[in-house]
Amino acid sequence: MKAAVWYEAKDIRVEEAQEPVVRPGTVKIRVEWCGICGSDLHEYAAGPITIPVGNPHPLTGVKAPVIMGHEFAGQVIEVGEGVERIKVGDRVCVEPIINCGTCSSCRKGLYNICENLGLHGMSGDGGGFSEMTVVKEHMVHKIPDNMSYEQGALVEPVAVALHAVRQSKVKAGDTCVVFGLGPIGLAILQCLKAAGTTRIVAVDISEERRQKALSLGATHAVNPIEQEVAGFVRELTGSGADVCFEVAGVEPTLASAVDSVKVDGQVIIVSLWERNPAINLNALVFKEIDIKGTICYRDIFPAVIDMIASGTLESEKLITSKIKIDDITEKGFEALLKNKNEIKILVNPKA
Ligand SMILES: [Zn+2]
Ligand SMILES: [Zn+2]
């Protein structure tokens, strides 16, 4: 079978891979669509970030080269011994978190901050950029018949967004700013709208992305190159934003988020960082700002599936291209790096 395999930064090869074998308690899935994630892009552009190189991952024993892809949906084609909840023929998406189950986070149910957190498609024995993949039964979520596989592939990134919003202090009636309008930023915006916020200011240098944000429910859009965001937000609100979401992962947007938030407000950091940013800690101290990071999601896939299936969240509007696996470098990773109009690119591993 074909698979896209990460060897090192700028070196992802589409090659023949061994078909994965079902083990007891696991499920084999024929992948229909798998999205390219911002974190995949970081691994392509500047990795390794979370892909194990040298030392294998403590839970999976896997190290590079690894099959990538963790945002996928498909159909179950085989189930291992002892699997009861999932049947052959089920349409499913996958929650790709790999956790130990025994560390203090896992014992508290906070499995997304497991001490040895891994991800199927980063540090697991397989990934969604392949025709077939095998995962443990508990990682599999059924999707309803009225949900397309394309929508199914978007459950994972939307889960990141919904988790970030649920972890924040956001309340109905709030003003929020979203910095960075990639797929996660645009999904956060839709979750904020669903949560009853009054004003959502969307910030990005791409005109196309700002337009997309306005069409998805942002009340205002700002180009940070033309307009100082904090000044704009203060003029709009008098005091600043209640909560800012940093989804761009670069120093100027973090600074701008800290400037834009009101006293006693909150900045939620959802990005991964290729470089450590400088931060004005006095601004934090004098405004008693709360800064919080969020990673992945936990116990949230069923809610996300419902939001998408019910139309509360229009995930398919995030899709800008659908490509074949053979084109994953040029029309996938390179396109995302060069063309900011691209938002979510889905890959068909069978073609
Ligand atoms: Zn992802
Ligand atoms: Zn753990």
Side-chain angles (χ1 to χ4, degrees):
M1 64 165 194
K2 262 185 198 177
V5 182
W6 186 96
Y7 279 80
E8 58 183 350
K10 299 275 181 177
D11 184 6
I12 291 174
R13 301 176 201 170
V14 177
E15 55 188 30
E16 263 318 295
Q18 279 253 302
E19 204 179 302
V21 178
V22 163
R23 303 174 303 277
T26 67
V27 166
K28 189 171 183 173
I29 297 164
R30 177 177 287 122
V31 180
E32 292 287 335
W33 291 104
C34 181
I36 300 179
C37 177
S39 59
D40 297 329
L41 193 60
H42 283 296
E43 297 289 353
Y44 174 77
I49 294 167
T50 64
I51 290 178
V53 174
N55 292 326
H57 190 272
L59 298 179
T60 61
V62 166
K63 62 177 180 176
V66 289
I67 298 177
M68 292 190 95
H70 60 268
E71 304 181 351
F72 59 98
Q75 190 166 36
V76 174
I77 52 172
E78 196 183 339
V79 299
E81 212 182 288
V83 171
E84 291 185 346
R85 187 176 56 90
I86 301 296
K87 305 266 182 283
V88 170
D90 282 351
R91 304 167 76 251
V92 299
C93 65
V94 168
E95 181 171 354
I97 287 183
I98 297 167
N99 65 308
C100 74
T102 55
C103 72
S104 68
S105 302
C106 282
R107 278 186 278 120
K108 281 186 262 182
L110 311 176
Y111 61 85
N112 62 319
I113 42 174
C114 171
E115 285 172 13
N116 290 312
L117 182 70
L119 218 59
H120 190 79
M122 286 283 184
S123 41
D125 55 347
F129 295 136
S130 63
E131 291 176 51
M132 284 162 268
T133 197
V134 168
V135 297
K136 290 184 179 166
E137 183 187 15
H138 77 266
M139 297 160 77
V140 173
H141 296 265
K142 289 189 214 177
I143 58 173
D145 291 340
N146 71 342
M147 182 184 273
S148 66
Y149 285 121
E150 286 91 333
Q151 289 173 316
L154 285 154
V155 172
E156 197 272 354
V158 173
V160 173
L162 186 61
H163 178 67
V165 170
R166 284 192 175 181
Q167 289 296 304
S168 76
K169 299 200 271 198
V170 163
K171 292 181 195 66
D174 275 355
T175 293
C176 295
V177 187
V178 181
F179 292 86
L181 305 174
I184 303 288
L186 291 170
I188 284 176
L189 190 156
Q190 293 187 77
C191 293
L192 288 172
K193 190 180 162 204
T197 56
T198 300
R199 297 193 201 93
I200 306 168
V201 181
V203 181
D204 201 292
I205 55 175
S206 154
E207 162 74 18
E208 187 109 344
R209 287 182 171 202
R210 292 196 305 275
Q211 288 306 325
K212 183 80 110 182
L214 289 169
S215 77
L216 290 172
T219 53
H220 303 78
V222 178
N223 180 352
I225 290 173
E226 288 170 358
Q227 197 161 18
E228 204 252 321
V229 182
F232 178 86
V233 173
R234 261 194 302 277
E235 209 160 287
L236 192 66
T237 58
S239 53
D242 296 283
V243 181
C244 291
F245 291 82
E246 207 293 329
V247 206
V250 290
E251 192 173 302
T253 55
L254 177 63
S256 190
V258 168
D259 278 350
S260 301
V261 80
K262 69 175 193 186
V263 291
D264 195 32
Q266 188 181 44
V267 177
I268 297 281
I269 314 279
V270 195
S271 334
L272 290 174
W273 298 76
E274 290 178 4
R275 264 183 230 111
N276 271 332
I279 176 167
N280 179 0
L281 289 172
N282 278 334
L284 239 85
V285 170
F286 285 106
K287 292 205 286 184
E288 288 201 342
I289 296 169
D290 173 22
I291 293 200
K292 182 177 171 60
T294 66
I295 178 86
C296 293
Y297 32 73
R298 57 179 177 260
D299 302 322
I300 212 167
F301 267 51
V304 172
I305 291 168
D306 282 349
M307 280 178 91
I308 294 175
S310 66
T312 306
L313 200 142
E314 298 173 292
S315 64
E316 61 284 353
K317 289 198 174 161
L318 305 176
I319 302 167
T320 46
S321 293
K322 289 157 84 173
I323 64 171
K324 296 176 184 163
I325 192 165
D326 289 318
D327 299 327
I328 195 166
T329 296
E330 276 313 309
K331 292 186 181 169
F333 294 106
E334 287 295 329
L336 284 166
L337 287 177
K338 288 173 192 152
N339 180 359
K340 290 298 160 203
N341 295 342
E342 287 287 0
I343 295 170
K344 181 57 74 183
I345 297 179
L346 295 188
V347 179
N348 181 344
K350 294 177 301 186

